[in-house]
Amino acid sequence: MKLIPVGVLGAGKYVPDRILTNKELETMVDTNDEWIVSRTGIKERRIAADHQATSDLCLEAAQIALTNAGITADQLDLIIVATVTPDMPFPSTACILQEKMGAKKAAAFDLSAACSGFIYGLANASNFIATGTYQYALVIGADCLSRITDYTDRNTCILFGDGAGAVVIGAVPEGRGFRSFELGADGTGGPLLKLEGGGSRNPASPATLDSRLHYIYMAGAEVFKFAVRIMGNAADEALRKAGMEKEDIDLLIPHQANIRIIQSSLSKLHLNEDKCMINLDKYGNMSAASIPVALAEAAEQGRVKEGDKLVLVGFGGGLTWGASVLVW
Ligand code: ACO
């Protein structure tokens, strides 16, 4: 069976207006701007307004992606929302969004792979298009991490922000589009990064609230070590599958968790910082949204041109990782 080449037809991003600065965090927990910037590279992050849930962020990003792709919502065949902060356990955020957009013929589902979710979503959706099952898919990475962040825990609250990034994918000319995907998981690392409350193991109760189980728990140093190891390996593997070398990379779009993790990936890939999209100083770690927001912003800023070879790479809770080579 001949596969159809699949690529990005249009991208869009949305971040809420409200900015939470390091200075403001200094008034909330025992931390300081110098520590946060030197240990993470983050200066500020965006926080959703009270009336906004993840589907609202998705809608804003999706509308820009559709406009840039030159299609309308009713042409979409599929919507995948990668998120760990759905509006509610069910219906899925993708279904809520489908209704908001009026994407009447689109199948819709959520995907849970934490910060790797957007790449997992791209891999899934591109198969439907490559095989001719569907023509257009909307893939979104979106999270409202502020809703599951403990703002009394200085180990985590300095890191996270809210946002959404969306792409419309579809058929592209031969030689362009996604050239490889590398996905992986290591469930033994699950306990390092988790939110235990509110699921079938620990249904919401006064006890789960007292134990603060509805907030992110993270063993930061262990996750850091995993990230440093896996980012380079996953990117290498995606390049190998695409038949490309490190030198071929025009732009690296990494998950925006920590500047030190990004710098270590750059050194493993022998790349200079000017070949890397970095915006975590403005947005912090937005989980599934980080990579698509960075991708949409790179496109907005004219940092990618036709034929450029991009490597998207991320890691996250699960533990999971994902990488892809994309010819723009
Ligand atoms: N301000 C000041 N001091 C702090 C802060 C803070 N905000 N946070 C921690 N510290 C202290 C610690 O308590 C510790 O003090 P101690 O030695 O007296 O105990 C000291 O700083 C050093 O702590 P470390 O954990 O060693 O700091 P590290 O260099 O590892 O940086 C960080 C911490 C930034 C969290 C880092 O480990 C990291 O980025 N880890 C990866 C995080 C990540 O990528 N997570 C992905 C999650 S995304 C998702 O799936 C939702």
Side-chain angles (χ1 to χ4, degrees), residues 31 35 39 115 154-155 193 218 220 257-258 260 285 315 317:
T31 189
W35 191 96
R39 305 307 284 167
C115 309
R154 70 174 182 173
N155 293 295
L193 195 47
M218 183 181 75
N258 185 315
R260 293 182 292 140
N285 178 350
F315 67 92

Side-chain angles (χ1 to χ4, degrees), residues 119-120 180-184 233-235 237-238 241 321-325:
I119 295 179
Y120 268 66
S180 65
F181 284 104
E182 162 67 9
L183 305 179
N233 291 355
E237 195 50 26
K241 286 181 180 172
W321 59 90
S324 177
V325 173

Side-chain angles (χ1 to χ4, degrees), residues 69-263:
I71 68 159
T72 49
D74 56 0
Q75 290 177 272
L76 288 172
D77 301 297
L78 175 67
I79 299 172
I80 299 178
V81 176
T83 187
V84 291
T85 48
D87 286 22
M88 55 189 84
F90 70 91
S92 69
T93 303
C95 284
I96 295 170
L97 178 67
Q98 189 244 28
E99 188 274 331
K100 286 185 185 193
M101 296 178 73
K104 288 198 175 64
K105 75 168 176 176
F109 66 92
D110 286 0
L111 189 156
S112 173
C115 309
S116 317
F118 179 69
I119 295 179
Y120 268 66
L122 288 177
N124 267 280
S126 73
N127 283 336
F128 284 109
I129 293 167
T131 53
T133 310
Y134 292 141
Q135 194 178 3
Y136 296 117
L138 176 67
V139 181
I140 302 181
D143 270 301
C144 270
L145 290 184
S146 63
R147 300 286 152 77
I148 56 169
T149 295
D150 181 351
Y151 286 98
T152 67
D153 175 12
R154 70 174 182 173
N155 293 295
T156 53
C157 74
I158 57 151
L159 298 171
F160 302 124
D162 303 336
V167 292
V168 173
I169 66 168
V172 292
E174 205 69 52
R176 291 178 45 201
F178 298 106
R179 306 302 283 272
S180 65
F181 284 104
E182 162 67 9
L183 305 179
D186 176 6
T188 64
L192 300 177
L193 195 47
K194 61 185 175 182
L195 188 153
E196 290 185 277
S200 56
R201 177 75 57 202
N202 296 297
S205 70
T208 61
L209 286 177
D210 284 349
S211 312
R212 307 183 88 71
L213 293 189
H214 299 272
Y215 292 125
I216 297 171
Y217 165 83
M218 183 181 75
E222 280 73 23
V223 175
F224 189 94
K225 281 183 232 152
F226 158 75
V228 163
R229 177 170 55 81
I230 211 68
M231 292 278 275
N233 291 355
D236 271 346
E237 195 50 26
L239 283 166
R240 190 191 63 74
K241 286 181 180 172
M244 290 185 194
E245 306 289 336
K246 295 178 172 70
E247 301 73 56
D248 295 324
I249 302 176
D250 293 302
L251 191 66
L252 182 76
I253 304 202
H255 176 46
Q256 310 281 316
N258 185 315
I259 191 68
R260 293 182 292 140
I261 295 172
I262 293 176
Q263 282 161 347

Side-chain angles (χ1 to χ4, degrees), residues 296-318:
E297 208 160 88
E300 255 170 48
Q301 294 172 356
R303 286 193 67 177
V304 283
K305 55 182 190 313
E306 202 173 303
D308 275 0
K309 298 175 187 77
L310 316 186
V311 172
L312 318 184
V313 59
F315 67 92

